Amino acid sequence: MMNVVRRILAVIVGAWFCTGVYGAAIINDTEIERHLTELVEPLADAAGIAAGRLKINVVHSDDFNAFVSGGEEVYIYTGLLTQIKTPDALQAVVAHELGHTLGGHMAQMSARMNAELKRTAIVQALGVGLMVAGGNPSLGMGVLAGTAGMTTQSMLAFSRDEERMADNLGLDLMMRAGQNPNGFVDVFEQMRDITGAAEEKINPNRVNHPLTTERLKNVRDYIAARPSDYKSDARRDANRRAQYELVRAKLVGYLYPGDRVRTLYPATDKSDAALYARAIANMRAGNLAGAKTGTQTLISRHGQNPYFYELLGDIEYQYGHYDDSVAAYDKSLTLAGGAPQIQTALALVLSERDKPGDRDRAIELCRRALLAEPAALTYWVLARAWGDGDGRADWAMAEYYNMTGDQKKTHQYATRARKRLDKSAPEYIKSTELLRKD
């Protein structure tokens, strides 16, 4: 039984991850993505980004980092999410990164780098000329040795200036969006608490960011000099903080070791976030009774939260209570609306329960999920729903291996699909396309 539980848990946790930017693991989770999108949307609107165009990507990494790619893709690291304490502060981080985009800093950095490389080439040519003309290599060596240092210092100074500009542009963006600009103060105060002692030993001219104490002073001065239209709302702000705390707790519950979860959220803590983190950690550890008790307490408090029902569906699945799992996932989908990850989870349970009509419904759920958001796990579940011996299942497995980067198995399953399928079948045509990519 424990082997079955571990296999199921591996599938559930595996639903979170896919390979993304620079080979890093991207976490797929409806609750996290929707909440972060809600936080970022006012900034995107103020930055002139069309509604629905900005995409949030959560990167599984302990780094305290975030960046924007292409102006519309925001990458937020789990190390940042689990440490940043307020939603206002997280907005400030994203606003800063959007500030780089608004300032055209990537293009400017590229142009500056090219200019520095040209200057370096000229100086190095001068150094070589001195060596040849004087017949004494030592005359030119000093020029050559100093070139790399000159370029590095110039680029570091340029980078520090861009960071200052991104802070200012980010503050302007927060103000235009009607968000709390003091989120910047929160971020830099927290960074100062983390790095303050270490920064005292750093030469400010040898780093690519201004020191945190300087940035904290700058943003305070900038905010004081510019009136803001931001108006706090106690109920709205409390709800937003509570949602953000649930997101942080969910990440901690899934990603941290159990003893670390219990340190951060001890049993004496009866908050929603603490119950959520401990329930997830208990589920991961195989303590299904503890996980279910915590989840049912959350549902009793918040009966309209779809993600507590989603967690209950995960737990009931691990128990082998397929009917209860299906009921919980159905409730989650009703409350959440279209949610590809939840649709995939429900399809998995249906494919294993295998009552009359279950496989047809699982296939339909997977197809809908793939239309909204193609994912490797969804193709895997779709293959299970079709079953061994069906050429369409072979195609689905080929798509699964293509998304996970295993080209050998992609070729193997696509070839098998073509042998089993009629040439007019859509899956035959798609299998042919996969083979052409090989």
Side-chain angles (χ1 to χ4, degrees):
M1 178 63 182
M2 282 307 296
N3 288 334
V4 174
V5 169
R6 290 192 185 98
R7 177 179 63 80
I8 292 171
L9 182 57
V11 170
I12 291 170
V13 175
W16 261 38
F17 299 104
C18 66
T19 301
V21 61
Y22 308 130
I26 301 294
I27 290 177
N28 287 328
D29 182 81
T30 303
E31 179 181 16
I32 295 172
E33 290 170 5
R34 285 185 177 179
H35 179 60
L36 296 182
T37 299
E38 186 178 315
L39 285 178
V40 170
E41 275 180 343
L43 302 175
D45 183 58
I49 299 171
R53 295 281 297 182
L54 198 70
K55 177 173 172 53
I56 299 294
N57 301 279
V58 180
V59 182
H60 180 210
S61 169
D62 291 336
D63 291 345
F64 192 88
N65 195 20
F67 66 92
V68 175
S69 175
E72 296 179 349
E73 295 266 353
V74 179
Y75 293 86
I76 304 175
Y77 287 53
T78 55
L80 182 76
L81 283 170
T82 54
Q83 293 184 69
I84 287 288
K85 296 177 180 177
T86 68
D88 293 339
L90 182 66
Q91 281 186 315
V93 173
V94 175
H96 169 90
E97 297 303 326
L98 286 171
H100 281 301
T101 300
L102 293 173
H105 291 169
M106 293 305 295
Q108 292 174 21
M109 178 66 80
S110 177
R112 182 60 178 261
M113 181 67 79
N114 287 333
E116 290 298 332
L117 288 173
K118 289 178 182 177
R119 188 177 74 155
T120 299
I122 293 170
V123 173
Q124 287 183 337
L126 173 62
V128 172
L130 284 173
M131 284 190 282
V132 173
N136 181 358
S138 65
L139 292 175
M141 289 304 292
V143 177
L144 285 171
T147 304
M150 290 166 54
T151 301
T152 300
Q153 289 304 311
S154 176
M155 292 304 299
L156 287 174
F158 182 70
S159 178
R160 289 192 297 272
D161 286 342
E162 286 199 332
E163 294 300 327
R164 295 182 184 101
M165 290 174 60
D167 286 343
N168 293 345
L169 288 168
L171 280 163
D172 288 339
L173 192 61
M174 290 278 276
M175 292 176 183
R176 288 203 306 275
Q179 304 303 301
N180 184 5
N182 284 302
F184 272 87
V185 175
D186 293 343
V187 171
F188 292 136
E189 284 183 340
Q190 189 173 346
M191 288 175 62
R192 179 197 60 194
D193 293 341
I194 295 171
T195 65
E199 283 198 352
E200 291 177 3
K201 303 174 184 178
I202 293 175
N203 182 338
N205 296 317
R206 293 189 176 276
V207 290
N208 61 359
H209 282 60
L211 296 184
T212 304
T213 50
E214 177 196 329
R215 297 176 79 180
L216 180 56
K217 180 181 184 304
N218 288 347
V219 297
R220 280 175 170 159
D221 291 346
Y222 200 90
I223 292 169
R226 291 163 180 78
S228 169
D229 292 333
Y230 170 74
K231 291 181 175 61
S232 63
D233 180 302
R235 178 176 294 181
R236 179 202 64 198
D237 294 346
N239 287 337
R240 192 163 76 160
R241 281 194 302 273
Q243 289 179 326
Y244 182 68
E245 282 304 315
L246 288 176
V247 164
R248 294 180 69 209
K250 189 172 198 175
L251 286 168
V252 168
Y254 271 111
L255 301 179
Y256 283 25
D259 56 350
R260 178 68 172 150
V261 176
R262 288 187 291 273
T263 298
L264 292 171
Y265 298 100
T268 53
D269 187 344
K270 305 300 182 182
S271 67
D272 292 343
L275 285 172
Y276 205 21
R278 291 198 302 267
I280 293 167
N282 281 330
M283 181 185 70
R284 288 176 57 216
N287 177 9
L288 299 183
K292 186 172 179 177
T293 298
T295 304
Q296 288 177 324
T297 301
L298 288 168
I299 289 172
S300 71
R301 293 180 182 179
H302 307 282
Q304 299 302 302
N305 186 310
Y307 310 111
F308 297 156
Y309 286 100
E310 179 189 13
L311 179 57
L312 182 61
D314 294 347
I315 295 164
E316 296 289 12
Y317 179 28
Q318 291 192 56
Y319 263 125
H321 300 164
Y322 290 165
D323 291 349
D324 292 335
S325 180
V326 168
Y329 282 134
D330 272 329
K331 180 69 171 180
S332 177
L333 273 177
T334 298
L335 294 171
Q341 290 101 32
I342 303 173
Q343 289 170 330
T344 299
L346 175 54
L348 176 60
V349 182
L350 290 168
S351 69
E352 292 211 4
R353 187 176 71 169
D354 203 17
K355 288 184 176 180
D358 277 355
R359 287 183 178 267
D360 288 341
R361 189 182 176 206
I363 290 165
E364 180 59 28
L365 284 165
C366 286
R367 283 174 165 164
R368 276 192 274 154
L370 289 169
L371 281 173
E373 187 177 295
L377 181 72
T378 309
Y379 282 114
W380 185 85
V381 174
L382 182 58
R384 285 177 63 83
W386 267 318
D388 293 338
D390 191 317
R392 294 171 298 178
D394 293 324
W395 160 74
M397 287 305 296
E399 295 283 5
Y400 167 79
Y401 283 116
N402 183 56
M403 291 196 76
T404 55
D406 189 333
Q407 292 308 306
K408 182 178 179 180
K409 288 193 173 181
T410 300
H411 187 279
Q412 174 188 333
Y413 277 95
T415 300
R416 186 186 300 177
R418 278 167 48 92
K419 290 178 180 177
R420 289 177 168 175
L421 292 168
D422 186 276
K423 290 184 179 180
S424 63
E427 293 81 15
Y428 179 95
I429 297 168
K430 292 173 183 176
S431 296
T432 303
E433 292 172 353
L434 287 173
L435 289 172
R436 286 173 179 165
K437 291 179 183 178
D438 189 22

